[in-house]
Amino acid sequence: MTLAELLPSTGRSAEPPLDNGIWPAATRLSDDGDLTFAGIPMTHLAARFDTPANLLDEAEVRGRARAFRTALPEAEIAFAGKALPCRAVLRWLAEEGLSLDVCSAGELAAARSVGFPAARILFHGNVKTSADLKAALGYRVGRIVLDSTDEIDQLGALTRPGQSVLIRVTPGVDAHTHRAITTGVDDQKFGFPLSSVPDAVARVLATPALRLAGLHCHIGSQVQRVDVYEVAVRRMVDRSSEDFAGRLNVDGFD
């Protein structure tokens, strides 16, 4: 018989603490050694819902949304719908004042089902179908991100006058993440390279139904370095100032 068996509290005290980088903040080990989630024993949750089960702590989701808004009070914070297109999560984030990125008619349908404000939705994604664009227009989403000249032409033919759009830019920035999720470098399928942005802008401005609201870029996922964002922003701003000065008479250009 071991000391831990004679004195169970000794065994528990020797256990490593829960890793906050893995477990939700509301996860605890109870005095009897049970794992609890938001104050509820996991054994109870497993008995009620069976396993496997996905558990979300509403308080933590809302808390993180508020933390972003507190840290960046003048910025628009948008949740990537593809990360978790769950109706409950979308409803919580709408109530917390966040915006929402969607990239398909399906994600938009989930947002629409909970009444997510259309003005705070950005519809983006590569190779949008006519059905995708029609769904975005049907809900009157605030901004549509254009990824190609084909999308500019399609949307211009479908939309009513005044639809706000963003042009997706590939800034030529390596985010130093996995190559399969690096989207800001040249010679890949997403968006317009910097050299082609002036032509894309001219095409949008020549389309009466579209209103150019700004530029958009995405340099990858799981990015761990802040400096790559700075490089991307500087390149986009420099391109804007060099090529668009005196050409953009658009109210609210971002």
Side-chain angles (χ1 to χ4, degrees):
M1 182 172 289
T2 65
L3 180 60
E5 291 173 316
L6 290 171
L7 299 171
S9 60
T10 302
R12 286 199 301 276
S13 65
E15 294 175 353
L18 296 176
D19 187 338
N20 291 332
I22 298 176
W23 298 96
T27 310
R28 299 284 187 275
L29 284 172
S30 65
D31 291 339
D32 60 3
D34 200 355
L35 190 67
T36 66
F37 178 77
I40 305 172
M42 295 287 282
T43 51
H44 293 186
L45 294 170
R48 179 177 178 182
F49 298 107
D50 208 348
T51 61
N54 291 322
L55 305 174
L56 294 174
D57 182 2
E58 179 180 351
E60 182 167 356
V61 173
R62 290 183 180 273
R64 293 195 178 203
R66 291 169 188 171
F68 272 108
R69 296 195 66 193
T70 298
L72 302 167
E74 298 181 2
E76 179 182 17
I77 310 299
F79 176 74
K82 66 181 180 180
L84 187 61
C86 169
R87 296 177 63 195
V89 171
L90 299 183
R91 185 174 62 252
W92 301 338
L93 297 178
E95 292 170 355
E96 294 298 332
L98 267 64
S99 294
L100 177 68
D101 277 348
V102 298
C103 59
S104 71
E107 290 177 15
L108 180 60
R112 190 170 186 169
S113 71
V114 299
F116 202 103
R120 302 208 310 263
I121 294 178
L122 296 92
F123 197 108
H124 67 97
N126 184 251
V127 193
K128 302 178 192 65
T129 65
S130 294
D132 289 331
L133 293 174
K134 289 176 181 178
L137 295 172
Y139 195 46
R140 299 192 177 187
V141 301
R143 284 150 294 175
I144 298 175
V145 181
L146 299 173
D147 205 76
S148 66
T149 54
D150 177 67
E151 287 186 4
I152 296 174
D153 295 341
Q154 276 199 74
L155 186 62
L158 291 171
T159 188
R160 63 184 66 84
Q163 174 62 55
S164 292
V165 299
L166 301 165
I167 292 175
R168 180 166 179 172
V169 180
T170 304
V173 174
D174 186 349
H176 305 289
T177 183
H178 192 283
R179 61 182 179 83
I181 51 177
T182 297
T183 58
V185 296
D186 295 330
D187 298 324
Q188 45 82 34
K189 65 182 181 180
F190 300 104
F192 295 88
L194 283 170
S195 59
S196 299
V197 171
D199 291 337
V201 167
R203 200 178 191 100
V204 170
L205 295 179
T207 305
L210 303 182
R211 174 188 174 275
L212 183 60
L215 304 180
H216 167 100
C217 83
H218 184 280
I219 60 174
S221 301
Q222 301 175 17
V223 180
Q224 300 182 25
R225 294 173 48 171
V226 175
D227 63 312
V228 293
Y229 287 112
E230 181 180 359
V231 173
V233 170
R234 287 186 181 279
R235 289 186 180 181
M236 292 174 68
V237 170
D238 289 345
R239 172 59 71 185
S240 299
S241 62
E242 290 174 7
D243 294 313
F244 309 153
R247 298 177 59 190
L248 295 179
N249 297 311
V250 184
D251 293 336
F253 180 76
D254 299 328

